[in-house]
Amino acid sequence: MVAVRELVSNLKKLSVIEARANEVRVQIIKHSKKIDESKALIERTKSVIDQSHQALREQKKLVDRLELDSSGLREKELEVKQRGKTIKKQAEYNAIEKELDAIAKQLRETENSLEVAWHDLDHETKKSASIEAKQGASSETLTQNIKDTDDLKAADERTLTEILAEKIDIAKNVPEDWMKRYEQMIKSVPNPIVPVSSESCSSCYYSIVAKDFTRLKRSEIMVCRNCYRLIYLDREEEADALNAQF
C-alpha cells in the first residue's frame, strides 16, 4: 500500500513538474520569438536608413553633375566670346552670336535645374537626418529590448535546468516500467496519471469494469481502457472530491 501510494505520489509530482517545465518552455519560445522579431525590426530600420542615405547620395551626385555642367558651359561661353573678338566677317560673327545664344539658353536651363536640385538636396538632407534620428532611437530601444529579453530567456533556461534536475531526482524513485508508461503518456496528454472518481476515470469518465475496480481497490495502478492514462483509487481523494460537491 505504502509503495503504491509512493509511486502514485511520485508520478503525480512528475506530472506537475512536467507541466511547470512546459510552461517555462513556452516562455523560452516566446522570448526567442520576440528576440528574432526585434532583430528583424533592427535590420528593417537599418534598411530604411540605408535607403535614405542612398537617396541623399544620389541627390548630391545630381547637384555635383549639374554644377560641373554649369561650370563647363561658362567656360565654353568665355571661350566662344574670346574667339568672337578675333572675328571680322559678319557671317562668322552671326554664327558666334547664335552659338552664344544656344549656350546661354542651355546655361539658364542647367542653372534652373541646379537651383531645384539644391532645394531637393536641402530637403533630402533634413529628411535623412530626421529618419536617422528616429530610426536610430528605435534601433537603440530594440537593442535594449533584445538584451532584456535575452536576460529573461537565460533566467528561464536556468529555471528549466533546475526543474529537469528535480524531475531526474524523482524519476530515480519510479520503477523503470512505470517510468516508460509515464513517458509515453506525457507525450500525448498533460495529465498522464489521474484518480478514479465515482468508479470512472476522472479524465475521460470511462466507467471502470468490476474486475478492474477490484484491482484498484487493492491499491493497484492501472491503465484506463479508454484514454490509456494511468489511474489509481484513493479513498481519501475521492471522499474529498465528493465533499467538495456539497
Side-chain angles (χ1 to χ4, degrees):
M1 180 72 171
V2 175
V4 173
R5 282 190 174 181
E6 183 180 352
L7 174 59
V8 169
S9 176
N10 286 330
L11 290 174
K12 287 166 67 178
K13 287 178 183 178
L14 286 174
S15 182
V16 171
I17 288 173
E18 195 66 40
R20 285 169 52 206
N22 285 336
E23 288 176 1
V24 176
R25 289 187 184 103
V26 168
Q27 289 303 313
I28 291 173
I29 291 171
K30 287 182 178 179
H31 293 325
S32 297
K33 185 179 179 181
K34 185 176 180 180
I35 290 171
D36 290 342
E37 289 173 349
S38 294
K39 287 181 178 178
L41 286 174
I42 288 177
E43 289 303 314
R44 197 178 307 167
T45 295
K46 289 179 180 178
S47 177
V48 171
I49 293 174
D50 289 343
Q51 288 174 12
S52 174
H53 288 172
Q54 180 62 29
L56 184 58
R57 285 193 295 270
E58 292 298 324
Q59 192 60 37
K60 286 180 178 178
K61 286 181 181 178
L62 177 59
V63 168
D64 290 343
R65 180 176 62 78
L66 289 172
E67 285 185 333
L68 189 62
D69 289 348
S70 177
S71 177
L73 286 169
R74 289 187 181 280
E75 289 178 2
K76 186 177 181 181
E77 183 183 46
L78 182 60
E79 183 269 328
V80 172
K81 285 180 178 179
Q82 290 294 331
R83 187 156 35 94
K85 292 179 180 180
T86 62
I87 292 174
K88 297 179 180 180
K89 294 181 180 181
Q90 186 63 38
E92 292 178 346
Y93 179 79
N94 291 340
I96 288 292
E97 285 294 313
K98 186 176 181 180
E99 187 175 356
L100 285 173
D101 287 343
I103 293 172
K105 180 182 178 182
Q106 191 175 358
L107 185 58
R108 285 193 302 272
E109 292 174 350
T110 301
E111 289 187 339
N112 286 338
S113 296
L114 181 58
E115 185 178 353
V116 173
W118 267 112
H119 177 272
D120 290 344
L121 178 59
D122 182 60
H123 172 74
E124 203 64 51
T125 301
K126 292 177 181 177
K127 179 182 176 182
S128 180
S130 175
I131 288 174
E132 188 165 2
K134 182 179 179 181
Q135 298 297 330
S138 176
S139 182
E140 288 179 6
T141 300
L142 289 168
T143 300
Q144 185 61 47
N145 287 344
I146 289 173
K147 182 181 180 303
D148 293 342
T149 306
D150 199 44
D151 289 343
L152 292 174
K153 179 183 175 183
D156 281 341
E157 286 173 341
R158 289 192 295 271
T159 299
L160 180 60
T161 299
E162 293 170 1
I163 291 173
L164 295 179
E166 186 180 351
K167 175 184 175 181
I168 291 172
D169 287 341
I170 294 175
K172 291 176 182 177
N173 300 316
V174 178
E176 185 177 352
D177 57 334
W178 284 108
M179 195 64 201
K180 286 181 179 179
R181 294 181 187 182
Y182 167 83
E183 292 288 359
Q184 288 174 347
M185 284 305 302
I186 199 66
K187 293 176 182 177
S188 305
V189 294
N191 53 339
I193 178 165
V194 295
V196 169
S197 178
S198 301
E199 300 186 11
S200 300
C201 170
S202 61
S203 181
C204 69
Y205 307 108
Y206 180 77
S207 296
I208 299 169
V209 297
K211 180 178 67 174
D212 290 343
F213 195 71
T214 299
R215 291 177 57 190
L216 286 168
K217 285 194 288 186
R218 291 201 299 264
S219 300
E220 294 186 24
I221 300 177
M222 297 184 60
V223 175
C224 175
R225 295 175 183 269
N226 184 57
C227 69
Y228 303 106
R229 286 178 173 83
L230 305 178
I231 56 176
Y232 65 94
L233 178 64
D234 188 312
R235 294 295 188 185
E236 293 180 4
E237 281 191 27
E238 188 171 21
D240 291 340
L242 288 173
N243 290 333
Q245 296 176 8
F246 298 98

